[in-house]
Amino acid sequence: MRRERSLTDRQKKWIAGTGVFLFLVLSALVCWFAGRPLIRFVREPERFQAWVDAQGVRAPLLFVGMVVLQIVVAIIPGEPLEIVAGYAFGALEGTLWCLLGAFAGRLAVFLLVRRFGTRAIEVFFPLDKLQSLRFLQNERRLTFWVFFLFFLPGTPKDLLCYIVGITKLPLRSWLVISAVAPIPSIITSTIGGDALGMGNYAFAALVFGITIVISSLGLLAYRAICRARERSET
């Protein structure tokens, strides 16, 4: 029986690079043909509501696909999509579809980065972004820090989603974190969107105002944590 030749390091790098390049091209095409309409829906919630009504029973599945797209492509903002989910589906159902889509999208990103490493991150983020999150390479209390950063409002979760893939976080831990940690930030957006859909503009403004304040504080806390952890690691 003829023995198969193993791939050389150069061939492996070429295959990995080609895979990332094709993924980048696919992401660009998806952004152009699906991302632009998605952003138009976000800007015009009434139009999105009409689209949901027209899709009937397919609407939740298509919306979940939109959320997966937003997570994987990363350059599409996520919070406005959560707001229109609350507007079109209501707070409870909108939260459910957002959580399902976010879970599937983050699992896809995790597996993608585990397969291609930092090459997958370079598609969307410069590698110098990794420096501020270098402490996540430390296995000690890794699960706690990943959960905390995804639970904390205002953190750059799209970036974090890609970074987690190159850590030693177990897949089972990531599945739990992806399912549970985003709940507070998603539900506040969907509640605000639901209030807009019901015409309760004062309550919607209150929800969004509180969310902005909490997210701003969360972002400040995130930056302080990164600086502190960076100093402790050096």
Side-chain angles (χ1 to χ4, degrees), residues 174-194:
W174 179 237
L175 294 177
V176 174
I177 291 171
S178 297
V180 177
I183 292 176
S185 60
I186 289 177
I187 200 168
T188 53
S189 297
T190 54
I191 287 174
D194 184 37

Side-chain angles (χ1 to χ4, degrees), residues 110-127:
F110 185 90
L111 297 176
L112 175 72
V113 176
R114 282 286 164 95
R115 175 64 183 84
F116 293 106
T118 56
R119 293 183 182 87
I121 300 175
E122 287 181 289
V123 172
F124 300 109
F125 305 102
L127 285 181

Side-chain angles (χ1 to χ4, degrees), residues 13 44 72 106 139 146 164 194 217 224 227:
K13 289 180 180 178
E44 304 172 24
V72 173
R106 284 169 180 155
E139 292 184 56
V146 173
V164 168
D194 184 37
L217 293 174
R227 287 194 296 266

